[in-house]
Amino acid sequence: MAFALEIDGFPSFSIVEIIGLRTEQDVVRLTESTADGRVVVRQRPGRPRGGECTVTRRVTASGDMDAWLAQVRTDADGARRNGVVVLYDADLVPVKRYRLVNVWPRALAVVGLAAGNVEGPLEHITLVYDAMEPVTT
């Protein structure tokens, strides 16, 4: 299955892998007493949590990620973007989309700097987001 990451204000990222794309919700535990005196613990949905994922892409001459990281350091609120992860079937028809709300890069690591590495170096970019929402059509 093919996939793409589209982030507002940036060209579509040519990515190799996304790890850790997930959404979570807090659990609120309530202890109640029933009419007959039994203690019952109920679990209720709490607040949704933000998340983070790691995106891997080949190193390019583009300075887009460098500029975005620099913006996070000087204008954190202005650096937040919205994005979409798009999953495609074998015919490259979109089958599922996940919206990422208020995305910003937390970390960048360059890996694969080894003699004889024919694949070339890769960038691991850790993206933080406030919410991940399935997009329904």
Side-chain angles (χ1 to χ4, degrees), residues 122-137:
L122 299 171
E123 290 180 328
H124 291 300
I125 304 152
T126 303
L127 298 175
V128 178
Y129 47 89
D130 289 347
M132 182 181 107
E133 305 163 344
V135 177
T136 56
T137 54

Side-chain angles (χ1 to χ4, degrees), residues 5-105:
L5 173 61
E6 301 166 358
I7 295 180
D8 294 346
F10 291 97
S12 183
F13 285 96
S14 176
I15 53 177
V16 175
E17 180 179 52
I18 300 176
I19 298 173
L21 190 64
R22 63 185 280 170
T23 183
E24 288 186 83
Q25 191 139 347
D26 285 336
V27 176
V28 177
R29 290 176 176 79
L30 301 172
T31 304
E32 301 173 347
S33 296
T34 62
D36 62 0
R38 291 182 309 140
V39 175
V40 178
V41 177
R42 300 192 189 275
Q43 298 186 78
R44 313 272 300 164
R47 296 183 341 192
R49 291 183 180 184
E52 68 179 47
C53 63
T54 301
V55 174
T56 301
R57 74 176 189 169
R58 299 209 183 285
V59 171
T60 67
S62 170
D64 56 358
M65 188 54 58
D66 301 328
W68 196 14
L69 279 163
Q71 184 183 14
V72 167
R73 293 182 182 109
T74 59
D75 179 18
D77 289 335
R80 293 174 180 259
R81 309 263 189 260
N82 292 317
V84 177
V85 174
V86 185
L87 306 180
Y88 298 94
D89 67 12
D91 296 322
L92 298 180
V93 174
V95 294
K96 187 77 176 178
R97 294 176 187 268
Y98 297 96
R99 182 182 356 266
L100 302 178
V101 179
N102 289 328
V103 181
W104 56 276

